[in-house]
């Protein structure tokens, strides 16, 4: 089967998305930095190990330019009616629709997820634009009855300012859209620092929206992108000019960002690590469960924050599911993510491969039993050196490696007996709290899983897996996952400041709580 890189040149995709041989390190909307006078970084594809292009890395001076431009742009943008801002976001969604195929290919080639997942990620961007357009007419507050006569009380929401967005490599474009489209609708400017591992998808997004920004006279700085290393992320966390920093990544990174932002009494929206479990009870539909387990465990080569990492099986179904999974893993199509037959692409880089190998060594040293996979694949087909066979390990929940998040396709199998409460206790007994799922046709088990004694995660699913959240719901988790909420529901409120207003339409000045203060 010919790969898409053979039938539809990646170079053509790069050309159509405006990616050059050497790329600038920032854009404030329609204005780009000059190139050639900064440190340059070369970016290679995990799909085939080939050079994609090079990009300049931003300096502190670049960063200050971007932030100042965003501040000035915000002063104008916030005065526009929200539906007018929403119309700009609608047009951005249309632009993304036009470039969906090419952007999906670039996501796949630069990050390594299969093409269908790349398309799905771009569709998330389109969906959040649609959501934000409707939201532009629903930024509602509330009215309250005053205890004082001829007084009216209400609260309302105002734009917050310039929002910093730090995104991770595994969802190189969708997380930006979740934040920036809601922020723009709310009246904020945003400055996006993508992962330095996947800069070109970010630059491509900026190229896609440039015409929309020009045609609508959007102030410079409302949608900015800056390419840099961890020093730029640190600057954002410590910068009092950014009232909100939204950061997606590891728990270690999030704790650093949260501490820095908290030190200056700013707001942080943290989407951090997950250690997600699926519980399968004796009353589950096993066919449905197995399909969800496999996708959750090996999709994106285990590099989703919602990837299924732990499988908690009732003893009565343990052997059956174990056998089914091992047989399925033997036949997983692993290869170039742009090949339409591939279901598992590569890990992002060789450091991730080392993390995969080290985790397997350590969990086996603790007593884990590797029953499937775990090899690093070699040969011309796997020339990048970042392809691995997803692994299944029989383990115990208390093992150190099971308690940690390894960003790779390792699925830990464990057994429970007795009532479902025992399985829920195992699921909750980790530091992370992002996504969770149970497979059962028993209503009592399902409702118990969702009840106050059930899952302690931000996402709890019944008869669907841990991956694949829709944009209509708020996305995020608890505990070491950071507590942030992005995307749907009322997540928009984090991008705004809340104000309580009281209007006296009488001729007297009564005080609250009946206080008398006569002069």
């Amino acid at each position: 089967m010919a790969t898409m890189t053979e039938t539809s040149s990646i170079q053509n995709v790069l050309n159509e998305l405006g990616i050059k041989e050497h790329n600038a390190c920032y854009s404030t909307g329609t204005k780009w930095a000059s190139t050639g006078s900064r440190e340059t970084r070369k970016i290679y594809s995990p799909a085939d190990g080939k050079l994609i292009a090079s990009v300049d890395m931003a300096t502190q001076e670049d960063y200050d330019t971007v932030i100042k431009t965003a501040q000035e742009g915000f002063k104008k943008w916030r005065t526009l009616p929200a539906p007018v801002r929403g119309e700009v976001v609608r047009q951005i969604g249309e632009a993304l629709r036009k470039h969906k195929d090419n952007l999906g290919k670039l996501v796949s080639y630069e990050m390594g997820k299969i093409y269908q997942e790349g398309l799905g990620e771009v569709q998330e961007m389109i969906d959040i634009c649609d959501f934000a357009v409707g939201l532009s007419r629903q930024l509602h507050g509330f009215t309250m009855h005053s205890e004082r006569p001829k007084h009216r009380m209400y609260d309302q929401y105002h734009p917050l300012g310039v929002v910093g967005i730090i995104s991770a490599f595994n969802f190189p474009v969708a997380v930006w859209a979740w934040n920036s489209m809601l922020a723009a609708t709310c009246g904020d400017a945003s400055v996006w620092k993508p992962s330095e591992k996947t800069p070109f998808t970010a630059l491509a997004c900026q190229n896609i929206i440039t015409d929309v920004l020009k045609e609508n006279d959007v102030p410079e700085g409302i949608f900015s992108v800056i390419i840099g290393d961890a020093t730029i992320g640190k600057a954002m966390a410590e910068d009092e000019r950014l009232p909100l920093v939204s950061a997606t990544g590891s728990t270690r990174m999030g704790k650093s960002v949260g501490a820095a932002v908290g030190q200056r009494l700013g707001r942080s929206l943290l989407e951090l690590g997950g250690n997600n479990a699926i519980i399968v009870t004796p009353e589950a539909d096993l066919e449905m469960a197995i399909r969800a387990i496999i996708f959750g465990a090996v999709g994106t080569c285990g590099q989703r924050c919602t990837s299924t990492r732990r499988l908690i099986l009732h003893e009565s179904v343990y052997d059956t599911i174990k056998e089914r999974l091992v047989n399925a893993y033997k036949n997983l199509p692993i290869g170039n993510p742009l090949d339409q037959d591939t279901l598992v692409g590569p890990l992002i880089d060789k450091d991730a491969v080392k993390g995969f190998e080290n985790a397997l060594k350590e969990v086996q040293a603790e007593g884990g039993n590797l029953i499937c996979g775990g090899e690093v694949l070699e040969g011309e087909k796997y020339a990048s050196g970042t392809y691995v066979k997803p692994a299944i390990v029989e383990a115990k929940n208390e093992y150190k490696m099971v308690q940690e998040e390894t960003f790779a396709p390792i699925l830990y199998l464990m057994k429970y007996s007795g009532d479902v409460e025992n399985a829920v206790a195992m699921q909750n007994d980790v530091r992370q709290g992002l996504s969770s799922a149970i497979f059962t046709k028993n209503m009592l088990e399902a409702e118990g899983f969702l009840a106050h004694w059930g899952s302690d995660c931000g996402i709890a699913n019944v008869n669907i897996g841990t991956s694949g959240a829709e944009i209509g719901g708020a996305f995020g988790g608890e505990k070491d996952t950071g507590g942030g909420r992005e995307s749907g529901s009322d997540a928009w409120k984090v991008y705004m400041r809340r104000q309580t207003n009281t209007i006296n339409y009488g001729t007297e000045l009564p005080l609250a709580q009946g206080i008398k203060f006569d002069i």
Side-chain angles (χ1 to χ4, degrees):
M1 176 63 66
T3 66
M4 196 173 299
T5 51
E6 294 167 343
T7 59
S8 178
S9 170
I10 278 294
Q11 189 57 55
N12 289 338
V13 170
L14 295 174
N15 291 340
E16 291 182 24
L17 292 175
I19 303 303
K20 307 170 185 177
E21 183 178 343
H22 189 160
N23 296 270
C25 62
Y26 75 79
S27 166
T28 55
T30 63
K31 296 180 180 179
W32 291 81
S34 59
T35 59
S37 60
R38 302 168 181 82
E39 176 192 347
T40 297
R41 181 165 298 184
K42 294 181 178 180
I43 305 298
Y44 297 87
S45 169
D48 56 17
K50 294 180 180 179
L51 176 67
I52 302 175
S54 63
V55 63
D56 286 344
M57 301 297 284
T59 64
Q60 182 64 45
E61 183 179 356
D62 294 327
Y63 172 76
D64 286 335
T65 297
V66 170
I67 297 298
K68 289 175 182 177
T69 304
Q71 285 183 302
E72 289 302 310
F74 167 66
K75 293 177 183 178
K76 301 175 184 177
W77 183 249
R78 68 182 178 184
T79 65
L80 298 178
V84 174
R85 301 191 296 253
E87 170 59 18
V88 174
V89 171
R90 185 193 69 78
Q91 293 178 36
I92 289 174
E94 290 302 307
L96 290 169
R97 281 183 170 89
K98 293 177 183 177
H99 294 277
K100 179 179 176 180
D101 288 349
N102 279 331
L103 187 55
K105 290 173 189 175
L106 182 55
V107 167
S108 180
Y109 190 64
E110 186 177 33
M111 183 269 148
K113 65 177 62 175
I114 64 172
Y115 178 49
Q116 283 300 312
E117 289 188 87
L119 290 176
E121 181 168 352
V122 180
Q123 186 61 48
E124 282 192 45
M125 304 170 74
I126 296 167
D127 291 344
I128 200 66
C129 287
D130 290 347
F131 179 88
V133 174
L135 180 66
S136 69
R137 296 180 184 272
Q138 299 179 68
L139 300 175
H140 52 74
F142 300 91
T143 60
M144 293 79 72
H145 288 279
S146 173
E147 67 185 55
R148 292 170 282 186
K150 296 185 177 180
H151 282 58
R152 180 165 67 90
M153 294 178 63
Y154 66 95
D155 63 21
Q156 62 176 324
Y157 290 85
H158 296 290
L160 192 59
V162 182
V163 175
I165 303 169
I166 302 172
S167 63
F169 75 86
N170 60 327
F171 277 83
V173 292
V175 171
W176 164 68
W178 286 2
N179 285 272
S180 63
M181 298 308 151
L182 294 191
T185 298
C186 291
D188 299 323
S190 62
V191 175
W192 176 24
K193 181 206 169 298
S195 169
E196 57 265 40
K197 296 181 180 181
T198 52
F200 297 125
T201 45
L203 297 182
C205 287
Q206 199 75 0
N207 288 329
I208 288 169
I209 70 174
T210 294
D211 286 344
V212 174
L213 303 182
K214 288 180 179 177
E215 291 167 5
N216 289 274
D217 294 322
V218 173
E220 205 70 23
I222 302 308
F223 294 94
S224 297
V225 61
I226 183 166
I227 309 300
D229 58 20
T231 60
I232 297 297
K234 183 175 185 293
M236 294 174 76
E238 296 174 351
D239 195 339
E240 293 185 354
R241 296 171 293 182
L242 301 181
L244 170 67
V245 175
S246 173
T248 303
S250 68
T251 296
R252 178 188 56 79
M253 180 277 290
K255 287 182 176 180
S256 175
V257 170
V261 176
Q263 182 67 28
R264 60 180 175 85
L265 299 182
R267 298 188 197 179
S268 57
L269 193 169
L270 302 176
E271 297 290 357
L272 312 177
N275 196 347
N276 317 294
I278 291 179
I279 296 171
V280 183
T281 81
E283 299 191 52
D285 181 327
L286 296 190
E287 295 299 323
M288 186 184 298
I290 288 168
R291 288 176 60 86
I293 292 163
I294 295 172
F295 173 70
V298 307
T300 322
C301 201
Q303 297 171 112
R304 290 183 177 223
C305 52
T306 55
S307 290
T308 305
R309 311 211 177 275
R310 296 177 297 138
L311 186 56
I312 304 172
L313 305 172
H314 190 268
E315 58 185 0
S316 64
V317 298
Y318 184 91
D319 289 336
T320 299
I321 293 179
K322 171 184 168 182
E323 181 180 0
R324 292 282 302 276
L325 290 176
V326 169
N327 289 334
Y329 268 50
K330 290 177 180 177
N331 299 308
L332 286 174
I334 303 170
N336 191 305
L338 289 170
D339 188 325
Q340 63 184 6
D341 294 329
T342 295
L343 291 183
V344 182
L347 289 170
I348 185 64
D349 55 27
K350 291 183 179 179
D351 285 341
V353 174
K354 291 178 183 177
F356 173 75
E357 292 180 300
N358 289 339
L360 289 175
K361 288 178 182 177
E362 292 192 29
V363 75
Q364 289 180 87
E366 291 184 85
N369 178 28
L370 175 63
I371 59 174
C372 182
E375 301 93 342
V376 178
L377 298 174
E378 298 178 346
E380 184 179 353
K381 182 179 178 181
Y382 311 111
S384 66
T386 58
Y387 288 87
V388 301
K389 282 191 176 181
I392 300 176
V393 179
E394 292 181 300
K396 295 182 179 179
N397 202 52
E398 60 266 26
Y399 288 172
K400 180 178 179 292
M401 287 311 303
V402 176
Q403 289 285 313
E404 296 180 4
E405 179 190 42
T406 301
F407 225 52
I410 302 175
L411 180 63
Y412 297 115
L413 268 60
M414 52 197 74
K415 188 183 299 185
Y416 82 95
S417 58
D419 295 333
V420 72
E421 288 93 333
N422 298 327
V424 173
M426 290 174 64
Q427 179 209 273
N428 293 345
D429 191 23
V430 292
R431 296 188 304 275
Q432 308 85 355
L434 179 52
S435 188
S436 58
I438 188 171
F439 278 82
T440 180
K441 292 183 283 187
N442 184 314
M443 184 184 72
L444 300 182
E445 290 180 335
E447 289 293 333
F449 179 72
L450 303 176
H452 62 86
W453 60 263
S455 171
D456 64 1
C457 296
I459 299 170
N461 297 328
V462 176
N463 293 329
I464 60 172
T466 59
S467 286
E470 298 181 33
I471 63 95
F475 180 90
E478 302 299 327
K479 302 190 293 187
D480 272 11
T481 304
R485 291 297 184 275
E486 293 173 316
S487 193
S489 186
D490 65 348
W492 61 271
K493 292 180 179 178
V494 74
Y495 305 96
M496 306 196 80
R497 60 179 177 87
R498 184 170 180 166
Q499 183 183 77
T500 301
N501 305 117
T502 305
I503 299 173
N504 179 359
Y505 58 92
T507 59
E508 298 181 357
L509 189 67
L511 301 178
Q513 294 86 45
I515 293 174
K516 301 296 182 182
F517 193 77
D518 296 328
I519 299 177

